Amino acid sequence: ALKARVDADEARLDALEKNGEVPPDVGARLDQEEKTLAQLSASDAAAQKSNSDMSARIASLEQGAASKTDLTGLDARVAKLESRDSSVAMRRAASVLALAELVRVSESDAPFENELAALRALTPAPELDDLSHYAGGVPTRAELEQRFATNADAILAAERRSYATNWLERMWASFVNLVSVRRVGNVTGKDTEARVARAEFDLKSGDLNAAIGELDMLAGPARDAAQPWLAQAKARQAITADTRALTMRIIAGLAPPQ
């Protein structure tokens, strides 16, 4: 508005100069108005600079607040991840310890119900359901080998008696059972005595699976006589297979994700 007034005064001054009617104080008045205009222009520039500085400060504060909020959220996520990872690590460590105790006890002939329950609480797995069938205790491999000699004689005796059709043959079968010497070692043949001999040889060689395979081929009274020992041997076989599979499962769970 002041600038418009100055421009108007200058126009009037030009007109007066042309007409020769210039007032004596007109120059002083114009100088004063120009100074006032200059002061106002300076004040306006300062105000604009102040507004610009204020906007910059507000933007900086807003950015800082946003950054602080982001950092707070990130800290919370990191804390949550650390807590979760720590909990998972502790659970895995407990699972490994429980597994080691289960394997140790199950390799003996002692019951392992408590060890099974402890591991089940930490690591549900299908192998645990199968192991529960044998948790009352199963003879060890060494015990199975020791019992086999007596069981082998009972298997052969049962087969001989099955061939007797009268009292005289039964007496003869009983006599043979008392004095006969059975074959031993890795012999050939598909008869009962050969299979029993190979099963015993496999046991002494540490191959329980092969011994079970030989006796599984028996039939009739010989198979019936072998069944109690065979059931215990298969239970031991199952425990070994289940604990191995369970160990592989838990070890696989310890591996870091790819």
Side-chain angles (χ1 to χ4, degrees):
L2 182 58
K3 186 177 185 301
R5 286 175 54 192
V6 171
D7 292 340
D9 287 343
E10 287 179 344
R12 289 173 58 196
L13 178 60
D14 291 339
L16 290 173
E17 284 178 344
K18 290 179 180 179
N19 297 328
E21 300 176 357
V22 179
D25 61 342
V26 68
R29 288 169 57 192
L30 286 174
D31 291 341
Q32 182 62 39
E33 288 181 356
E34 288 179 350
K35 289 180 180 179
T36 302
L37 177 60
Q39 290 174 356
L40 289 175
S41 298
S43 297
D44 183 60
Q48 290 180 359
K49 185 177 184 304
S50 176
N51 287 338
S52 178
D53 293 343
M54 182 65 72
S55 297
R57 291 178 62 191
I58 290 173
S60 177
L61 289 173
E62 289 176 344
Q63 184 177 1
S67 299
K68 184 176 181 181
T69 301
D70 292 343
L71 289 175
T72 301
L74 182 60
D75 288 343
R77 290 177 61 190
V78 170
K80 183 177 180 179
L81 288 173
E82 289 177 345
S83 174
R84 183 177 65 183
D85 289 346
S86 175
S87 175
V88 170
M90 291 180 64
R91 189 178 186 87
R92 288 176 176 173
S95 298
V96 171
L97 293 176
L99 171 64
E101 187 63 13
L102 174 63
V103 172
R104 184 188 68 80
V105 178
S106 66
E107 285 180 346
S108 70
D109 60 354
F112 51 89
E113 292 99 337
N114 294 336
E115 291 76 15
L116 190 65
L119 185 57
R120 191 192 296 274
L122 295 166
T123 309
E127 293 84 2
L128 298 176
D129 294 332
D130 190 52
L131 283 170
S132 64
H133 299 142
Y134 318 110
V138 172
T140 66
R141 289 173 176 266
E143 291 171 342
L144 289 170
E145 182 180 346
Q146 291 172 359
R147 297 176 185 180
F148 186 79
T150 302
N151 193 257
D153 292 337
I155 293 172
L156 297 177
E159 185 174 64
R160 292 188 189 104
R161 284 195 300 269
S162 68
Y163 295 147
T165 59
N166 53 53
W167 67 271
L168 184 60
E169 290 178 350
R170 285 194 292 272
M171 287 184 60
W172 177 250
S174 298
F175 174 75
V176 171
N177 288 336
L178 290 174
V179 300
S180 65
V181 178
R182 61 185 175 84
R183 289 182 292 169
V184 295
N186 191 21
V187 301
T188 60
K190 296 182 179 180
D191 58 286
T192 299
E193 188 174 7
R195 293 192 182 282
V196 169
R198 287 196 298 271
E200 187 174 36
F201 175 82
D202 292 332
L203 281 175
K204 291 181 178 179
S205 301
D207 194 344
L208 178 63
N209 294 340
I212 292 173
E214 289 289 353
L215 295 191
D216 262 338
M217 300 300 294
L218 299 178
R223 173 62 183 248
D224 294 339
Q227 190 56 41
W229 184 94
L230 197 56
Q232 292 178 335
K234 287 184 175 180
R236 174 52 58 189
Q237 182 186 47
I239 289 174
T240 300
D242 287 337
T243 52
R244 285 178 179 173
L246 197 55
T247 299
M248 296 302 295
R249 182 186 297 276
I250 292 178
I251 289 176
L254 296 177
Q258 299 296 327

